[in-house]
Amino acid sequence: MAEAGAPIIEAIGLTKTFKVAQKPPGFAASVRHFFKRTYKEIPAVTDVSFTIRPGEMVGFLGANGAGKTTTLKMLTGLLHPTAGRCVVDGREPFARTRDFLSAITLVMGNKQQLLWDLPARDTLRLNAAIYGISDADYKSRVDELSGMLELTDKLDQPVRKLSLGERMKAELLASLLHGPKVLFLDEPTLGLDVNAQVAVRAFLRRYNERTGATILMTSHYMADITALCSRVLVIHEGKLVHDGELAALLRRFGTRRELRVELSHAVDDAKLRTLGEVLSHEGNVARLAVEPAALVAVVGRALAELPVVDLTVHDPPIEEVVGRVIGKSQRALPNVVGAEQGA
Amino acid sequence: MNAALRKMGGLLSVYYAYMTAYRAELILWALANSLPFILMGAWYQAAAGGAFGFTPVDVTRYFLAVFVIRQLTVVWVIWEFDQDVQRGRLSQYLLQPVDPVWRYLAAHLSERVARLPFSALIIALFFLIFPPARFVPHASDVLLAITFATLAFALRFVMQYTLALFALWTERASSLESLMFILYLVLSGAIAPLEVFPPELRELVMWTPFPYFIWVPARLLIGGADVDLMRATVVCVSWIGSLLVVNRVVWRLGLKRHSSMGA
């Protein structure tokens, strides 16, 4: 258990290198590969260090293959670091002690623990038995969490009959039944529609407020991060390139909003350029990047000056923000992590 | 102890629900083990010709006993484990404070209970179609057969689960079971009673785990006076014990490998 005031998650020079078999294409290469394998060392995570205090909600951003999931797997004890070490809730994860496993949970948006052909309640009963939860605690926790997740009337339906959003909520319920102190969430809103995303975010915020649980989450949706996390870690090609306040990150790198307009007939690019940077313009649909301070005025001008059929405003895609951070970090990598930590 | 029992009780209850969700499959699984009935036909003809020391009714009862023992001892953990490694489910099991083996064991035991009525139905139908095969075993024979069927299941489960753990290196260990299945078929008494083996070969085979999978419990069920109970117990328990030790060593090494290559 972590001492009072001590970080609940601590990564110190965390490094993971995978040995991957290499096979060039072609018949001869296949034959050679059959008799003699050649391996290449792929660095997935390199010298990543950070600490997270109890109760913090931290976003973990990076492109596909940047090393987010590998880091989460090291922090949950599924992967053994090649170098460096990590401590979660005062314990070394890879020892996988009962106390450690009872203190954490890992929810992966693309994997499910629910038994597909049975009602979610059966998985909950299974987890209650596995974690040694008493009948009274089981009942009160299921009532509380299913209420928060608005899932009470869905628990007795077979999982396969639930919508994607309901399944994710049930996954969260199953993963949180044992009352973990540390939640590792890997793309928890992956593939969900907007309403389901909003519901999951609202639940996570309330759960954090009620229990004081620490949350480290990855997401491809900027809205997840902006709604929940005050601090973000950005990882690129296995290296931590930003650790700091989300607001500071957005001020520096991601202030622009994306304006999507659908027009009744085509207009010139030149006309669109007077409103903002044209990100794309295909047929009657255009995407513009607009500074937040100018957003209201630009929307007004667009409605007045363009033949608008539909207009929506979005957060910048997470890749764009990450891309800007990476662009910056590649120019001044040694300073970015330290500078932002102090921000 | 109470916590462990409660944990196992929870696993058994949920996995029983899981198994009964597939009613049609249960019948098919029970029928899929009907190989003894096919072989029964072939050996029945041979026995009628006086080719070896069994009467046709003896042959019928032996293969019926083989069917019963196979229903009680069928194990598929290697295919389940392969899938769990390949699809990443093992990683999810590893995040919970219970060794994954208890999940697999609970699934097998629950399936056994769920399968029982269908197996009984098949036997009843067989008696209806072929009345001469009807027999009522002595209570002591049934008790011995159940004891050795339990040992047979434990031995087969530990052996197959130990092979399954090689999936932590190769991600596909079920091909090892295909190789083992040939030995199982030939040496367990599944395709022929061990009485047809030359005495020297039979003596040798009795030191391997295979006859304890089927032949020993099946012979006991039909009143097998020629089973050396002491030796059967010692050999069977020794194999279970040795394989358990190997299993735990392979598990620890495999987990280390799995966690270094990508869980």
Side-chain angles (χ1 to χ4, degrees), chain A residues 167-216:
Chain A
R167 278 212 296 278
M168 191 62 224
K169 287 180 184 177
E171 277 294 332
L172 281 168
L173 175 43
S175 303
L176 300 177
L177 192 64
H178 60 287
K181 284 193 279 184
V182 185
L183 279 56
F184 296 99
L185 309 176
D186 193 13
E187 305 280 357
T189 56
L190 188 71
L192 303 188
D193 64 31
V194 175
N195 289 337
Q197 285 179 30
V198 169
V200 167
R201 277 176 215 138
F203 167 77
L204 290 172
R205 194 183 310 109
R206 279 204 306 276
Y207 185 84
N208 169 261
E209 285 164 5
R210 276 198 197 189
T211 65
T214 308
I215 298 178
L216 176 61

Side-chain angles (χ1 to χ4, degrees), chain B residues 3-249:
Chain B
L5 283 176
R6 190 171 175 270
K7 207 173 274 194
M8 198 57 190
L11 284 167
L12 285 170
S13 152
V14 172
Y15 276 103
Y16 180 75
Y18 187 65
M19 291 302 163
T20 49
Y22 301 97
R23 284 172 299 187
E25 276 192 16
L26 275 173
I27 300 173
L28 294 174
W29 287 341
L31 281 172
N33 274 316
S34 57
L35 178 72
F37 292 123
I38 297 163
L39 292 163
M40 181 192 293
W43 285 104
Y44 188 88
Q45 292 299 326
F52 63 109
F54 274 53
T55 67
V57 170
D58 286 343
V59 164
T60 309
R61 287 179 182 171
Y62 174 76
F63 281 105
L64 193 62
V66 170
F67 174 78
V68 172
I69 299 302
R70 273 172 62 88
Q71 295 292 317
L72 293 174
T73 59
V74 66
V75 171
W76 67 87
V77 66
I78 200 163
W79 289 277
E80 193 81 14
F81 193 81
D82 263 13
Q83 291 283 310
D84 287 346
V85 170
Q86 286 163 28
R87 294 184 182 177
R89 274 196 300 255
L90 182 68
S91 296
Q92 294 200 316
Y93 296 163
L94 291 173
L95 288 169
Q96 296 192 321
V98 64
D99 191 308
V101 70
W102 296 109
R103 284 176 176 269
Y104 299 119
L105 190 61
H108 279 70
L109 295 178
S110 312
E111 190 267 354
R112 217 51 28 108
V113 177
R115 175 197 286 248
L116 219 57
F118 300 103
S119 305
L121 192 71
I122 292 170
I123 294 165
L125 274 174
F126 181 77
F127 281 152
L128 204 66
I129 295 165
F130 193 68
R134 285 180 202 167
F135 74 107
V136 179
H138 294 293
S140 58
D141 291 339
V142 173
L143 203 65
L144 273 175
I146 289 176
T147 305
F148 274 88
T150 307
L151 285 174
F153 169 73
L155 178 55
R156 186 133 171 73
F157 185 87
V158 176
M159 187 186 239
Q160 202 184 84
Y161 188 55
T162 304
L163 290 177
L165 296 180
F166 286 95
L168 295 170
W169 281 266
T170 64
E171 292 195 355
R172 199 179 293 266
S174 45
S175 46
L176 290 171
E177 176 60 17
S178 306
L179 191 68
M180 200 57 79
F181 191 66
I182 298 170
L183 294 171
Y184 169 82
L185 270 185
V186 177
L187 303 179
S188 70
I191 55 174
L194 293 199
E195 284 83 348
V196 304
F197 284 21
E200 299 78 16
L201 178 62
R202 187 172 147 190
E203 178 58 25
L204 190 68
V205 166
M206 289 309 291
W207 294 103
T208 72
F210 300 101
Y212 305 95
F213 292 144
I214 291 180
W215 185 77
V216 168
R219 285 297 283 147
L220 289 171
L221 186 61
I222 56 172
D226 53 348
V227 174
D228 180 345
L229 284 178
M230 182 57 82
R231 179 162 83 165
T233 309
V234 169
V235 174
C236 201
V237 170
S238 303
W239 272 110
I240 293 172
S242 316
L243 285 167
L244 265 177
V245 172
V246 174
N247 181 286
R248 291 297 86 188
V249 171

Side-chain angles (χ1 to χ4, degrees), chain A residues 90-101:
Chain A
R91 301 173 179 97
E92 194 274 301
F94 193 65
R96 295 180 57 250
T97 61
R98 185 184 166 79
D99 284 346
F100 170 75
L101 294 173

Side-chain angles (χ1 to χ4, degrees), chain A residues 2 8 14 49 67 75 82 86 112 117 131 133 202 204 218 242 252 306-308 315 318 322 329 339 343:
Chain A
I8 196 160
L14 217 46
S49 300
L75 293 172
T82 311
C86 50
Q112 69 164 46
D117 289 302
Y131 287 99
I133 300 168
L204 290 172
T218 76
H242 176 91
R252 289 181 63 177
L306 299 174
V308 174
D315 285 313
I318 214 152
V322 171
S329 72

Side-chain angles (χ1 to χ4, degrees), chain A residues 44 62-68 237-238:
Chain A
N64 287 334
K68 303 186 296 289
E237 293 179 352

